[in-house]
Amino acid sequence: MSEAAGPVSGSPFGPVALTPTAFLDRARVVHRDRPALVDGEVRRTYGELADRCELLAGALAGPGVAPGDRVSVLAPNVGIALEAHFGVPWAGAVLNALNTRLSAGELAYVVEHAGSTVLLVDTDLVELGRAVAAQLPAVRLVVAGGPDDELEALLAAATPLHLVVEDELGLLSLNYTSGTTGKPKGVMYSHRGAYLQALAMAAQTGLGARSAYLWTLPMFHCNGWCFPWAVTAAGATHVALRKVDSALIWQAVREQGVTHLCAAPTVLTGLANGPWAEEGPTAQPVSVATGGAPPSPALLARMAELGFDVTHLYGLTETSPLLTINRQRSEEDELPAEERAKRLARAGMPAIGCSVALSETGEVLVRSNVVMEGYWEQPDASADALEDGWFHTGDGGVLDDEGYLSISDRKKDVTGGENVSSIEVEDCLFSHPAVTEVAVIGVPSDKWGETIKALVVVSVPVTEAELIAHCKSKLASYKAPTSIEIRDEIPRTATGKVQKFKLRQQYWEGRDRQVN
């Protein structure tokens, strides 16, 4: 019997090992001449993309990358970042996509901890890559693009390679946490977990062969939420984006027919404002998945006016990352816009393949095939996080009467013995027209032990008293901040998260206890 497809994983006489790279095997046959990648002036079909990924695998094996070795990639959302998601595994190696926003020292820590032997760097980041490599003489630097393009020469001389995956629980990629509670940890994704997450993402966001996915979400962040594989599984078109810029995003939406994208609420805020938005809504509906922080009801309502259908996701790096999903149901279509947006701000219900529960203390617990295999070279931390067969998220949660999960931030958001959701207070402050950024934390109180403080950035002058009064007009009095500090900015991690443990440190220094 002849086979129509290219190489697949596993024995032909039994179940094959699940791996997300198999989606490109299928796309090479089913969508061979259809557009796979739009990267500036570069256009590639799925047949061409698959060929290049096999050459990349061969090129990596040439410099001595052996199965199980780690390959770090430092690149924006361009072709080489996408190709690495297939070419590195086809070489039998483990992909380590690096956060392009980190410093050379931070990157060197990650590359060294991962034990990478090769650092593949896009030309736009070559100086940063060289600064990293200078600290790690055992790591080979390979530049992609630009006048010093070493990669294309290696591809031209390479023999195509496509190694078979024998163990679906084997290591596919290492994704490092943003380090909000200490040194970044290497989160281990298996072939099986990424395969199942990619299918769940494709199904739950409605990707199809006529879709065009814009790469606004960094591919270094949880492997782009597994969308390099999800988009390929659907046979959709990847639209590269070298720089996340609101004007460029609107241009791609209007000129490339973009139908899907993922973005943090801060990116959506940029899309909702400015002259590009004043041109009117999109010509076609655009499905948007957002996470990292709950979008405010006002932002959700504005995005809907502009033609963006926003779905709120919740998850963590350790869960690759989707755990819950919240999108508008048909029975909610007739609700007032403000009420629909408020409901969409919840974390949602369990995603496909996920079981979510709350511990006795209110911590969100997860059991799923998409949960990490553990932390790289950290067995004790792995055992703590995966205790009793559940992944312990460290996030506090609340389940409402409908079964929807809302995140109440870290487990110790408390004031005067009452549990208070920092996110609820943040949403309230966001509803004030002057507030553009906000972080709510617990600080020491001589009376209560702990009380609520808000740090805000404003666009026009406003007083602390006015903001507190605004909160008390919308929330129970005990939920309102007892103090509000107006700042020029709120520090964030390289992935855009507010480091609340750092914000708390200055207030808890020298105390008997500190809320983490």
Side-chain angles (χ1 to χ4, degrees):
M1 181 179 70
S2 62
E3 294 186 9
V8 295
S9 304
S11 165
F13 304 107
V16 298
L18 301 181
T19 172
T21 61
F23 299 138
L24 186 51
D25 288 325
R26 175 181 180 272
R28 173 187 242 155
V29 176
V30 179
H31 306 291
R32 170 173 288 275
D33 298 319
R34 298 190 66 255
L37 174 66
V38 175
D39 184 3
E41 299 300 316
V42 175
R43 302 289 190 275
R44 300 199 195 284
T45 67
Y46 268 107
E48 292 168 338
L49 177 63
D51 290 345
R52 280 185 63 87
C53 291
E54 287 188 342
L55 288 173
L56 176 58
L60 290 171
V65 172
D69 285 354
R70 277 73 65 200
V71 174
S72 293
V73 179
L74 183 65
N77 284 349
V78 292
I80 185 56
L82 175 64
E83 291 162 5
H85 279 78
F86 298 91
V88 172
W90 279 353
V94 177
L95 174 63
N96 170 224
L98 294 170
N99 187 333
T100 60
R101 300 164 188 163
L102 297 181
S103 68
E106 291 168 322
L107 289 168
Y109 171 84
V110 171
V111 174
E112 183 176 33
H113 189 271
S116 294
T117 57
V118 171
L119 174 57
L120 186 59
V121 180
D122 178 79
T123 183
D124 278 2
L125 299 168
V126 66
E127 294 305 318
L128 180 59
R130 286 173 178 157
V132 174
Q135 301 176 55
L136 305 170
V139 176
R140 176 175 177 179
L141 180 71
V142 178
V143 178
D148 301 321
D149 193 338
E150 182 183 2
L151 180 63
E152 284 301 322
L154 291 173
L155 294 177
T159 299
L161 180 63
H162 189 317
L163 295 183
V164 170
V165 174
E166 300 290 352
D167 179 11
E168 63 184 28
L169 295 180
L171 186 56
L172 168 69
S173 66
L174 277 177
N175 289 287
Y176 277 75
T177 63
S178 56
T180 56
T181 56
K183 286 286 189 183
K185 297 188 286 289
V187 176
M188 299 189 291
Y189 286 10
S190 70
H191 287 264
R192 175 185 175 85
Y195 177 98
L196 294 172
Q197 185 67 283
L199 289 181
M201 285 295 195
Q204 290 173 137
T205 60
L207 282 169
R210 298 185 180 185
S211 302
Y213 179 85
L214 180 63
W215 273 106
T216 47
L217 176 77
M219 285 192 222
F220 66 68
H221 186 40
C222 306
N223 293 121
W225 296 359
C226 290
F227 274 89
W229 302 305
V231 174
T232 302
T237 302
H238 297 265
V239 181
L241 190 67
R242 188 169 283 273
K243 179 183 178 182
V244 178
D245 175 87
S246 296
L248 294 177
I249 294 172
W250 269 107
Q251 181 181 0
V253 168
R254 299 194 192 281
E255 296 181 3
Q256 301 296 338
V258 168
T259 60
H260 291 73
L261 61 88
C262 298
T266 52
V267 176
L268 302 186
T269 298
L271 292 178
N273 299 288
W276 42 83
E278 294 174 4
E279 296 180 20
T282 62
Q284 69 286 338
V286 180
S287 176
V288 178
T290 190
S296 68
L299 177 59
L300 288 168
R302 174 60 176 156
M303 294 303 292
E305 292 174 359
L306 292 172
F308 294 88
D309 179 17
V310 180
T311 296
H312 182 205
L313 310 180
Y314 161 67
L316 301 92
T317 303
E318 289 88 343
T319 59
S320 69
L322 178 61
L323 291 183
T324 64
I325 184 168
N326 186 3
R327 66 181 308 138
Q328 186 172 313
R329 295 182 170 188
S330 58
E331 54 267 34
E332 299 171 341
D333 289 348
E334 302 306 317
L335 292 176
E338 183 176 350
E339 177 62 21
R340 292 201 309 271
K342 184 177 180 180
R343 294 171 67 84
L344 282 172
R346 296 175 294 183
M349 289 189 172
I352 293 173
C354 292
S355 296
V356 179
L358 297 181
S359 71
E360 292 182 358
T361 60
E363 182 181 11
V364 180
L365 307 177
V366 184
R367 181 177 286 160
S368 172
N369 282 291
V370 304
V371 170
M372 67 173 181
E373 297 301 303
Y375 295 115
W376 177 252
E377 303 292 349
Q378 291 184 276
D380 291 342
S382 300
D384 289 343
L386 300 169
E387 185 180 4
D388 300 325
W390 291 86
F391 171 64
H392 294 244
T393 66
D395 288 339
V398 177
L399 289 170
D400 63 21
D401 293 340
E402 296 179 272
Y404 278 81
L405 175 69
S406 293
I407 302 302
S408 57
D409 202 71
R410 306 303 290 180
K411 292 178 287 183
K412 297 179 181 179
D413 276 345
V414 173
T415 179
E418 295 282 352
N419 289 320
V420 177
S421 165
S422 63
I423 291 173
E424 183 181 12
V425 182
E426 287 167 359
D427 280 345
C428 179
L429 283 164
F430 267 128
S431 70
H432 191 285
V435 175
T436 58
E437 291 186 60
V438 61
V440 170
I441 57 175
V443 297
S445 166
D446 292 336
K447 181 176 182 180
W448 301 111
E450 185 175 350
T451 189
I452 301 171
K453 184 179 186 68
L455 311 176
V456 302
V457 177
V458 298
S459 58
V460 295
V462 64
T463 67
E464 176 188 34
E466 288 172 335
L467 292 175
I468 292 176
H470 174 77
C471 291
K472 287 185 175 180
S473 72
K474 294 179 174 291
L475 300 172
S477 291
Y478 76 87
K479 292 184 178 182
T482 55
S483 65
I484 295 180
E485 181 180 335
I486 298 174
R487 294 187 168 193
D488 292 332
E489 63 177 8
I490 295 175
R492 297 178 181 271
T493 68
T495 55
K497 293 183 180 179
V498 175
Q499 293 184 303
K500 288 193 175 181
F501 82 103
K502 284 190 174 181
L503 296 179
R504 295 181 181 109
Q505 280 176 350
Q506 61 181 299
Y507 302 102
W508 289 93
E509 187 115 13
R511 296 274 175 162
D512 291 335
R513 69 183 185 89
Q514 178 170 333
V515 177
N516 293 316

